[in-house]
Amino acid sequence: MEEKRLNVAVLGCGSVGSQVVRLLTEQADDLAARVGAPVELVGVAVRRLDAPRDIEVPEGLLTTDAAGLVARDDVDVVVEVIGGIEPARSLILSALENGASVVTANKALLAEDGPTLFEAATKAERDLYYEAAVAGAIPILRPLRESLAGDKVTRVLGIVNGTTNFILDKMDTAGSGFSEALEEAQALGYAEADPTADVEGFDAAAKAAILASLAFHSRVTASDVYREGISEVTAADVQSAREMGAVVKLLAICELRGDQVAARVHPAMIPRSHPLASVHGAYNAVFVESEAAGQLMFYGPGAGGSPTASAVLGDLVTVARNRLADTRGAGESAYADRAVLPMGETRTRYHVALDVDDRSGVLAAVATTFADNGVSIQTVRQEGRGADAQLVVVSHGATDAALSSTVQQLRGMDIVRDVTSVMRVEGGDE
Amino acid sequence: MEEKRLNVAVLGCGSVGSQVVRLLTEQADDLAARVGAPVELVGVAVRRLDAPRDIEVPEGLLTTDAAGLVARDDVDVVVEVIGGIEPARSLILSALENGASVVTANKALLAEDGPTLFEAATKAERDLYYEAAVAGAIPILRPLRESLAGDKVTRVLGIVNGTTNFILDKMDTAGSGFSEALEEAQALGYAEADPTADVEGFDAAAKAAILASLAFHSRVTASDVYREGISEVTAADVQSAREMGAVVKLLAICELRGDQVAARVHPAMIPRSHPLASVHGAYNAVFVESEAAGQLMFYGPGAGGSPTASAVLGDLVTVARNRLADTRGAGESAYADRAVLPMGETRTRYHVALDVDDRSGVLAAVATTFADNGVSIQTVRQEGRGADAQLVVVSHGATDAALSSTVQQLRGMDIVRDVTSVMRVEGGDE
């Protein structure tokens, strides 16, 4: 065992890959002590040899032949930080087939086609670790998979996209509108030129699928996740949340409902007293509820080259230790095989703000519409403004279909001039 | 492997043990699926067979012969939740010698004599896991040991004692004095009749030793940890903290200082904007700073039978999986072997409030005393009150010895009528 060394190949040398390469070099002595054998970087696959990079890759290690690198028979661990579906998927499958263990940060691939990868890892009897795929540096997958393995997780609420949290936080603290806050996020490098993946919730939905799969020992893919982004969130929504002591966050919500799993991503109002409410800027946090442990929260930087590399390296140490001991960690756990609850049947609560005629009978008519749909009302706030009035209704828990149909009927009522804000409410009692 | 089952013995059936027994029974099917083999409870050692218990222990499993139980050759995993030094230590050592893996929640024993236990585990080639020993249900040891294994942790700040956090939170939110808040904590069951272990910081110091050992890959024992409790914290201290936008918390602080480790427990003022400041009531949280990941926080219930049992069961699943795979997890990592920095040489900052004569030259004299000790001042606030004035000084970073000597000299000065509050300041810039 003293003679053994672990050879590592890194696929991709962008913001994460370059930090992985840096840490592998700078922390070599500590890594060797923690793994129990030297960890050696044997190759870095890139698209262009002459692209500008944040770091200097040691002489002779760069290659454009990623397929050739993962096919080498002296590679023990492959780190995939290219991202996207292809060629990442083929490279990971090839690495596993060739007997390497894999560490990846690829949320999109895991959320779309995780089962294929997990089956390949099981067949090859190798590890496939992916802590960096959700919430960057925050250790959340390992705690879910291992620390809570003796408990029953009932709900996961995550702020898992830093871009949207930055934008919503800005709208809350500075009173900005969505476009203005997005522009600031872009100027500061928190949002891409094409911000769709973040702003429309695709990134968060991929993470929700991964979280739900782990938390509930089932297979949940990105297409199972209901998704709404934040581009429709208005300054009025944020103000309305503020008036009821709440704040708007884009949440990834994974819940156990009877024998089924609900997984969804949408903006929601949460009480300011909730621990997630104080997650500011581009930070991420994941709030976990379980039967025995109660309420836990994990907080930290959800993105960035260096934090994400920290998560990759943590996995690398575990995977390398397993290789040395000729064993593997726990693989995919999907024994519970729970079905996904359709969004319409998922229970939630709605906040609805209406401009209505200011005359007697209006409140009764609105309340009747809620009641007709089987939705019970928790609070109503009414403010007269001359000829018209504003009515803010917060419902008790009901199915999303019933709530959605209530809003549709409200929109069709003569006395309702406008529905100015509709948003789900989470993080409190039903 | 299908035929194998894992036999578990539990030592102790108090608030934690009874919940471990309950979960082992209630979650048997899930545990079997997650471990890969049935997990069977084969014995529960108690002091008195007829003591009242929260749960019904299955017929025939209770025994008063703990030594006999751990000596059985069919026990695969021993869960120790008796607490205290003896007989817990002898029982754990005997269990390891007999080939069982061990899960324990025993912070006092680990902090006093961890190395003996770790060496026994290494010799026996068995696991010794202890997530429940620090911060109850919060997964913090596993993230430190595994998730951050590829990173360099530089500081750990923990609120790791729920009793003292409840008391200090009460003093802050309700303006109570220490005795009043302690009485309320006792009435609500958050504090023991003899609150010494919590209030004087012994419990937190044990946890600091365990955290420092893991974070810095070195051996730190309870006797290495500088310790001050909260019994001297006054309503005036809490008020003074409030005036400077801070809050008083009992912190377990573990820091890397050059090649040395500093580990200490004392009340400290932290800015209200710090994530730890919003940890209320009896909740715990551990804030971790590392070079690559940046700032992380782990939050949750730090005590209680059921949350602590969740952490025990998580370890039990890992240890049981390892037994099935005929392997073991990472053992003690003390390769860095760092020395412990004496408290006097540890850098910190002081908040000092003084009643002084209200005449010219006083501020200059006080400032000179700081300067003579090589301590630089960050802010001074002065409030005249007729014949006397109050002076509140916050220093920049300096060694604790220099700060302590400054305060001693201030106490001896004619113009200083009284030193009304002295407290360290943490969680900000130096």
Side-chain angles (χ1 to χ4, degrees), chain B residues 56-70:
Chain B
E56 250 183 74
V57 177
E59 191 67 28
L61 293 188
L62 281 181
T63 173
T64 54
D65 181 13
L69 183 58
V70 301

Side-chain angles (χ1 to χ4, degrees), chain B residues 69-85:
Chain B
L69 183 58
V70 301
R72 273 172 60 167
D73 60 7
D74 65 339
V75 171
D76 299 295
V77 182
V78 169
V79 173
E80 185 275 306
V81 283
I82 304 173
I85 306 301

Side-chain angles (χ1 to χ4, degrees), chain B residues 5-345:
Chain B
R5 60 171 215 187
L6 277 301
N7 289 338
V8 177
V10 176
L11 311 181
C13 198
S15 66
V16 177
S18 60
Q19 294 306 309
V20 169
V21 168
R22 179 179 69 80
L23 291 171
L24 275 173
T25 314
E26 286 180 13
Q27 313 262 26
D29 291 349
D30 281 314
L31 291 171
R34 295 172 194 181
V35 167
V39 176
E40 186 124 359
L41 178 66
V42 298
V44 181
V46 294
R47 242 182 320 196
R48 283 179 30 220
L49 291 177
D50 60 352
R53 292 177 222 295
D54 301 342
I55 51 137
E56 250 183 74
V57 177
E59 191 67 28
L61 293 188
L62 281 181
T63 173
T64 54
D65 181 13
L69 183 58
V70 301
R72 273 172 60 167
D73 60 7
D74 65 339
V75 171
D76 299 295
V77 182
V78 169
V79 173
E80 185 275 306
V81 283
I82 304 173
I85 306 301
E86 283 296 348
R89 173 168 47 198
S90 302
L91 291 169
I92 290 175
L93 292 174
S94 161
L96 291 167
E97 272 163 32
N98 286 321
S101 294
V102 172
V103 175
T104 175
N106 197 327
K107 57 198 167 255
L109 176 56
L110 284 159
E112 180 172 309
D113 202 13
T116 302
L117 303 181
F118 298 135
E119 280 161 18
T122 302
K123 193 171 156 216
E125 296 186 357
R126 288 295 179 246
D127 281 329
L128 173 67
Y129 274 57
Y130 50 98
E131 178 67 73
V134 179
I138 309 173
I140 175 63
L141 303 191
R142 194 182 301 260
L144 276 178
R145 179 159 54 183
E146 300 179 29
S147 309
L148 291 165
D151 202 338
K152 186 176 184 179
V153 175
T154 51
R155 181 180 290 156
V156 179
L157 292 182
I159 295 175
V160 291
N161 180 275
T163 305
T164 46
N165 200 58
F166 178 90
I167 292 171
L168 292 171
D169 193 30
K170 209 73 209 172
M171 291 174 73
D172 180 52
T173 55
S176 321
F178 170 77
S179 310
E180 192 186 341
L182 170 60
E183 273 168 32
E184 187 172 345
Q186 285 170 322
L188 291 168
Y190 288 125
E192 310 273 340
D194 175 359
T196 312
D198 293 318
V199 161
E200 297 304 342
F202 291 97
D203 173 81
K207 292 162 177 171
I210 295 170
L211 288 169
S213 300
L214 273 171
F216 306 125
H217 300 270
S218 297
R219 287 183 166 176
V220 180
T221 61
S223 59
D224 294 322
V225 180
Y226 174 84
R227 181 191 52 73
E228 267 178 44
I230 65 162
S231 56
E232 309 286 311
V233 175
T234 63
D237 292 329
V238 172
Q239 179 58 28
S240 202
R242 175 177 290 281
E243 280 161 16
M244 60 180 266
V247 59
V248 177
K249 296 287 185 188
L250 181 70
L251 296 182
I253 304 171
C254 312
E255 288 171 310
L256 199 58
R257 290 282 183 180
D259 279 339
Q260 294 181 289
V261 171
R264 51 202 167 100
V265 167
H266 54 69
M269 295 183 182
I270 56 171
R272 283 189 190 263
S273 58
H274 194 283
L276 285 174
S278 51
V279 176
H280 298 294
Y283 271 85
N284 281 17
V286 181
F287 188 80
V288 177
E289 296 176 37
S290 74
E291 282 192 355
Q295 302 186 324
L296 303 170
M297 190 171 80
F298 304 80
Y299 165 94
S306 169
T308 307
S310 167
V312 167
L313 268 281
D315 277 354
L316 178 64
V317 168
T318 300
V319 163
R321 273 181 190 151
N322 287 346
R323 286 305 295 263
L324 268 190
D326 200 20
T327 185
R328 55 191 294 252
E332 186 196 18
S333 173
Y335 73 89
D337 197 21
R338 298 178 197 281
V340 175
L341 189 68
M343 185 62 189
E345 295 173 35

